[in-house]
Amino acid sequence: MNIQKLECPNCHAALDSDYGNEGIFFCKYCGQKMIVEEMQNAEYDLKIRKMEMDHETEKIELEHKQQNIQSAYEQEKMAADYKFRTTTIFACIFLLVFIFVVMLIALMITSI
Ligand SMILES: [Zn+2]
């Protein structure tokens, strides 16, 4: 339970609860009209909920960032793998052609 002192924000006089009608108070000393909010607990809950949601949003954003980094890493890895494979295939083809040419030359020399 939250008990708060009712006082006039204008003259700081204590407010009589009898003067309150549906949250509207009149200061009997200076005539100040005020609205006492009973929403404090609800506002507090709302604030907490908003903070939780912000936290949740930050968490989701962080997860997205991590996923992006992960996928970027995977793409880089795939590109590197592809490059390695292509280079290996070209090297093999070059080697086969080289061996074929050498054998052809050797055959020509022996047939002369
Ligand atoms: Zn007052």
Side-chain angles (χ1 to χ4, degrees):
M1 200 165 120
N2 188 18
I3 299 170
Q4 283 183 325
K5 190 180 165 194
L6 286 174
E7 73 170 25
C8 173
N10 193 38
C11 70
H12 299 287
L15 290 176
D16 198 330
S17 64
D18 291 344
Y19 284 80
N21 183 23
E22 288 177 330
I24 298 166
F25 283 80
F26 287 96
C27 177
K28 60 182 172 182
Y29 298 100
C30 70
Q32 178 76 32
K33 184 182 176 185
M34 54 222 112
I35 296 165
V36 177
E37 291 178 13
E38 289 178 22
M39 292 293 288
Q40 278 176 347
N41 282 339
E43 265 177 44
Y44 179 75
D45 287 347
L46 216 67
K47 227 174 198 174
I48 294 290
R49 185 78 198 108
K50 200 188 171 299
M51 277 167 72
E52 282 173 353
M53 276 168 72
D54 285 349
H55 180 70
E56 201 68 29
T57 310
E58 271 171 30
K59 223 169 98 181
I60 289 165
E61 276 172 9
L62 202 71
E63 275 170 14
H64 281 188
K65 270 182 198 163
Q66 279 174 339
Q67 279 173 357
N68 284 346
I69 288 166
Q70 185 73 21
S71 65
Y73 170 75
E74 273 165 17
Q75 273 178 1
E76 237 170 73
K77 205 181 153 199
M78 272 170 69
D81 279 356
Y82 178 75
K83 202 176 167 186
F84 175 74
R85 243 178 283 146
T86 333
T87 312
T88 310
I89 288 165
F90 272 109
C92 284
I93 290 168
F94 177 77
L95 201 68
L96 282 173
V97 168
F98 181 75
I99 288 166
F100 179 75
V101 166
V102 166
M103 279 173 79
L104 210 68
I105 289 167
L107 208 71
M108 278 167 74
I109 287 167
T110 48
S111 66
I112 289 170

